[in-house]
Amino acid sequence: MIKREELRQELMACRGRDTEKPFDYNIVLIGFMGSGKSTVSDYLKKAFDMDVVEMDALIAEQQRMSIPEIFEKYGEEYFRNLETQLLIDMQAQSNVIISCGGGVALREKNVVEMKKNGKVVLLTATPEIILERVKDDEERPLLRGNKNVEFIGNLMEKRREKYEAAADIVIATDGKTVFEICKEIVQNLVKAE
Ligand code: S3P
């Protein structure tokens, strides 16, 4: 059950006033595969009637290919360029949740583009929790044959600095409900406005 009213009240209380649109910028969710970006996007979407751009899903739709197929056919660099273009296209909008693929924030240019009209929220989780969340999924080419805590922990460590540098806000998700995570996001976004 979505605690829609509670979250709306929280936003209003943090701001001290009501606003027509909940956010006059985009909320850009970044973080490792399985850090909860899609789940959080869906909750915020329902709570605030916002649009969500799920970057992977939109790219797959536009290319008429799955992410693993794009990687196989055109390579990772091609896929990364599509991500950059999508971020540029999104700058014209506001009040949209942009759920980034796990690699999006690793490119410096992407971080510049996402910050132009977005506040960047980094979601984190331990490798053990990430493994639990991704273990039955076959849609992530980088994790094929690599679904173990050691691989996930190492890749996460390699990416940590870039993720943190990109983030306006960092939210640890371990042991929290999605409502608690969203409430923390709302509180921290308002502080960062
Ligand atoms: C990737 C993460 C995936 C997807 C692609 C590459 C990455 O997105 O973009 O498999 O480099 O971390 P999710 O984080 O939504 O799984």
Side-chain angles (χ1 to χ4, degrees), residues 33-174:
M33 294 167 266
S35 58
K37 294 164 290 184
S38 303
T39 310
V40 165
S41 297
D42 195 50
Y43 202 98
L44 290 174
K45 168 194 163 106
K46 288 177 180 150
F48 294 116
D49 302 320
M50 293 168 76
D51 289 331
V52 173
V53 168
E54 184 78 51
M55 289 185 68
D56 279 350
L58 188 58
I59 288 173
E61 192 187 309
Q62 287 171 345
Q63 299 291 307
R64 299 204 175 94
M65 258 186 266
S66 70
I67 303 298
E69 279 167 350
I70 298 172
F71 269 65
E72 241 161 70
K73 192 154 182 211
Y74 299 111
E76 182 167 346
E77 186 66 13
Y78 176 86
F79 173 70
R80 300 297 177 200
N81 290 336
L82 296 174
E83 291 180 321
T84 305
Q85 189 53 50
L86 185 49
L87 287 171
I88 294 171
D89 295 343
M90 288 308 298
Q91 286 162 14
Q93 299 194 44
S94 64
N95 200 42
V96 176
I97 302 151
I98 304 174
S99 180
C100 295
V104 175
L106 302 174
R107 258 197 191 185
E108 225 167 287
K109 175 159 173 56
N110 287 355
V111 177
V112 171
E113 299 302 338
M114 64 176 71
K115 279 179 182 283
K116 282 187 184 163
N117 190 30
K119 296 242 182 294
V120 182
V121 180
L122 169 64
L123 300 179
T124 67
T126 58
E128 288 78 7
I129 296 223
I130 297 281
L131 178 62
E132 197 44 45
R133 293 179 186 160
V134 302
K135 67 180 190 317
D136 299 322
D137 185 284
E138 289 308 323
E139 283 301 304
R140 294 174 165 112
L142 299 179
L143 293 182
R144 281 196 179 159
N146 294 320
K147 289 203 190 113
N148 58 75
V149 168
E150 201 194 347
F151 179 87
I152 292 172
N154 284 338
L155 185 56
M156 201 185 268
E157 213 37 60
K158 271 193 215 146
R159 291 179 168 192
R160 180 193 303 280
E161 209 178 320
K162 285 189 173 153
Y163 280 157
E164 288 176 355
D168 294 307
I169 293 163
V170 184
I171 309 281
T173 64
D174 298 315

